[in-house]
Amino acid sequence: MNRTFVIVGGSIAGLTAAEKLRELTDERIVLVEPDPVRAYDKTALSKDLLIADEMPDIFLRSAAHLDELRIEVRKVSAVALDATGRVVRLSDGSSVRYDRLLIATGASPIIPFPHEADTTIHVVRTHADAEGLRSELRDARRTVVIGGGLIGCEVASAARHLGVETDIVDSLPGPFQRMLGAAFSQYIEQLQIDAGIATYYGRGVVDVRRGSGDHRFDVELSTGEILVADIIVAGTGVRPETGWLHGSGVDTSLGVVCDSRLSTSLSDVFAAGDVASWPGGPGGELIRLEHWANAAEQGVGAAISMASAKPTGDDWTPGMPHFMTTIHSHRLTVLGHVHGGEIDDPTIHVAVGPNERGLIALYGAADRLVGCATVDQARIAVRLSGLFGRENSWMESVSIVENHCRIN
Amino acid sequence: MEIDLDLCKGYATCIVVAPSVFDLDEDTNKVILLDDHPSDTLADRLDDARRACPVSAIKVASSPAMT
């Protein structure tokens, strides 16, 4: 066969897909990627890249590496998909024809709160975003971080590390509330308070405007409180980059909707990474993840599906969702399917680690353990992940954790 | 197979992908290699671990992508 594989998006999902495809076939591979900086470790943008004394090198592959693999790189963006003609239209007016297409366009930050046009709101998504924030943080006295999710908590941690006075704001009652539940959230908020962060949870942002005092900006909260800042950073979520697929026939109702082999509603079009949803939930429901490792694994999975002449049904199994991060020198490990919930939620079991060190949270569905999240207890998290989805694993995991916390 | 411990940041992705080969030293927050010469049956898992490492700290000698 002499097919053309076109990959739109050159971050980790697109990159791993290109590499895997080259392992599997000698056919033509075209990578469409406008970001002139080659693929980099995005997990470092809101952490090491902000705090390291010298700008770290977070690039993953050299241009020479792509040349060696005979991957044609087009440094433009895709603007439209003509699925009938099997053509991707590009921003320079040219187009590229495909036999198999991979959508790996990721997601872009959204800023859902009101702010005046002449205010600068930093987001952290690209290398350039992080470089800009990195240099401004070094001259700043005060920052307000809006958003108590992963990016917001990481940026707040980095800002404190640099000695910047830091406030964090979220309309939810605490950090990671929706993802990990109330008990875990309270633990993380305490870490933030201990690190000297002023927390403003349960409050919305109603306006961001130029400062009336000697700071650049005023942030007005739903309670009427006014926070002042030299830098505003938003970690308020992302939207899958599907605009270019409008009218193409690809189902974009939850990112790009895929089946278990990452094929979209069009059989010769596939998707991977932050842009894609697939039936990967604990009960087979559609989920869309924004985790690095998920994107890397899906790039491989999509490549396997794309290279095969016809669906084989069992050629690739997605791994379990997982991510790790460090906040205020404490290590967070989140494995499997976790969920929010109040303090007394019976499907969440939380225990303080042995010798009062760290925290272990278990997440259940019926009689099964489906996920766990830990602070400074990564090893038991990995051990528990072996039980995910097994019959009666919920009670078993609760007793493992209780024993672990008592004996060690 | 080798791990570049200067690059390793303890993301532990490899441990999740191949727990029989990798472990985490919770004091140094670096990965420990449990098995220097893992069996060929683990080749696919090791390759997944190599690809998924956010800092590319895992070098698998026979990686086909590098040929």
Side-chain angles (χ1 to χ4, degrees), chain A residues 83-329:
Chain A
T84 314
R86 290 187 170 177
V87 166
V88 178
R89 306 211 183 281
L90 305 175
S91 54
D92 63 354
S94 68
S95 59
V96 57
R97 215 194 73 78
Y98 64 86
D99 294 286
R100 297 281 163 97
L101 172 67
L102 179 66
I103 299 165
T105 36
S108 299
I110 49 175
I111 298 178
F113 51 85
H115 59 282
E116 288 175 14
D118 60 349
T119 55
T120 308
I121 314 281
H122 286 269
V123 294
V124 187
R125 189 70 188 177
T126 66
H127 200 278
D129 292 341
E131 275 182 79
L133 180 58
R134 175 190 159 87
S135 73
E136 281 204 28
L137 272 176
R138 277 162 174 68
D139 300 322
R141 291 167 296 163
R142 295 196 64 92
T143 183
V144 171
V145 176
I146 301 168
L150 183 59
I151 296 292
C153 289
E154 287 177 344
V155 170
S157 172
R160 277 311 293 150
H161 182 89
L162 293 169
V164 180
E165 293 298 318
T166 303
D167 301 333
I168 192 162
V169 182
D170 197 304
S171 54
L172 292 171
F176 293 100
Q177 178 89 16
R178 190 177 287 137
M179 183 192 283
L180 297 171
F184 203 95
S185 179
Q186 286 175 6
Y187 189 90
I188 301 295
E189 182 173 5
Q190 192 58 51
L191 295 182
Q192 294 180 323
I193 291 167
D194 292 348
I197 291 177
T199 64
Y200 295 86
Y201 291 111
R203 298 150 165 98
V205 170
V206 297
D207 192 27
V208 178
R209 54 182 174 260
R210 279 188 171 282
S212 47
D214 64 345
H215 289 277
R216 288 174 68 198
F217 306 112
D218 287 350
V219 179
E220 185 181 344
L221 307 185
S222 51
T223 48
E225 292 158 293
I226 307 275
L227 308 179
V228 298
D230 307 307
I231 302 182
I232 314 273
V233 188
T236 40
V238 294
R239 177 189 298 128
E241 275 294 345
T242 57
W244 65 285
L245 299 167
H246 183 74
S248 66
V250 172
D251 180 353
T252 56
S253 53
L254 180 65
V256 176
V257 177
C258 297
D259 63 14
S260 59
R261 51 193 296 278
L262 300 174
S263 174
T264 69
S265 52
L266 304 177
S267 62
D268 47 4
V269 179
F270 299 76
D274 291 9
V275 77
S277 65
W278 81 105
E285 63 273 28
L286 278 182
I287 56 169
R288 190 179 67 77
L289 296 178
E290 293 157 9
H291 305 159
W292 177 267
N294 171 66
E297 289 174 7
Q298 287 196 342
V300 173
I304 292 169
S305 296
M306 289 167 79
S308 63
K310 59 180 192 315
T312 57
D314 58 356
D315 42 15
W316 177 71
T317 314
M320 80 171 116
H322 61 280
F323 73 89
M324 292 82 185
T325 187
T326 303
I327 291 171
H328 307 295
S329 304

Side-chain angles (χ1 to χ4, degrees), chain A residues 16 20 23 41 43 47-48 60-61 69 292-293 296-297 300 320 322 324 331 335 357 376-379 382, chain B residues 9-13 15-17 19 23-24 26 29 47-48 50-56 64-67:
Chain A
T16 56
K20 186 68 185 180
E23 271 178 53
D41 171 15
T43 67
K47 298 194 279 286
D48 292 29
L60 295 171
R61 310 285 195 276
L69 297 181
W292 177 267
E297 289 174 7
V300 173
M320 80 171 116
H322 61 280
M324 292 82 185
R331 196 80 193 150
L335 306 179
R357 180 171 183 259
D376 299 330
Q377 293 287 340
R379 295 185 71 187
V382 173
Chain B
K9 294 274 194 298
Y11 283 103
T13 295
I15 301 168
V16 174
V17 174
D23 197 358
L24 185 70
E26 289 202 291
N29 197 35
D47 222 36
D48 288 346
R50 177 184 64 79
R51 278 199 190 82
C53 176
V55 293
S56 301
M66 297 299 160
T67 55

